Amino acid sequence: LITDQQANLINDLAGQILGLSIEQQSIVPIYNDVGGWGGPVPGITDRDNPVRIIEQNRDNGHTYNKLMANFFVEY
């Protein structure tokens, strides 16, 4: 059986995104005052912006194939 599967990078990063969402300090905005992404900021122990990671990786997908086989010999 040969499969043709598609995956999105957001699914691969889901654990990291959830962790960042929990760890992010509430004072760090999603967007900064000039329209860019908020965080990380020098002097604050904040993390990467989880919303930015989702938005920038929304279209990053990949396709991969798997070959699944079963082999049995009886003597």
Side-chain angles (χ1 to χ4, degrees):
L1 176 65
I2 298 176
T3 64
D4 184 25
Q5 300 177 348
Q6 295 180 349
N8 191 304
L9 186 58
I10 294 174
N11 293 335
D12 297 339
L13 297 172
Q16 177 187 1
I17 292 170
L18 178 61
L20 289 172
S21 300
I22 293 169
E23 295 172 358
Q24 185 68 276
Q25 294 183 16
S26 61
I27 63 170
V28 178
I30 294 175
Y31 299 103
N32 60 25
D33 52 347
V34 293
W37 294 104
V41 179
I44 299 178
T45 59
D46 59 346
R47 307 282 188 253
D48 282 332
N49 188 330
V51 177
R52 178 190 61 83
I53 293 172
I54 292 171
E55 287 296 320
Q56 290 182 342
N57 291 299
R58 180 173 295 202
D59 296 327
N60 291 342
H62 57 279
T63 302
Y64 56 95
N65 298 313
K66 286 186 176 180
L67 173 65
M68 299 187 307
N70 187 8
F71 183 73
F72 179 78
V73 176
E74 184 175 342
Y75 177 71

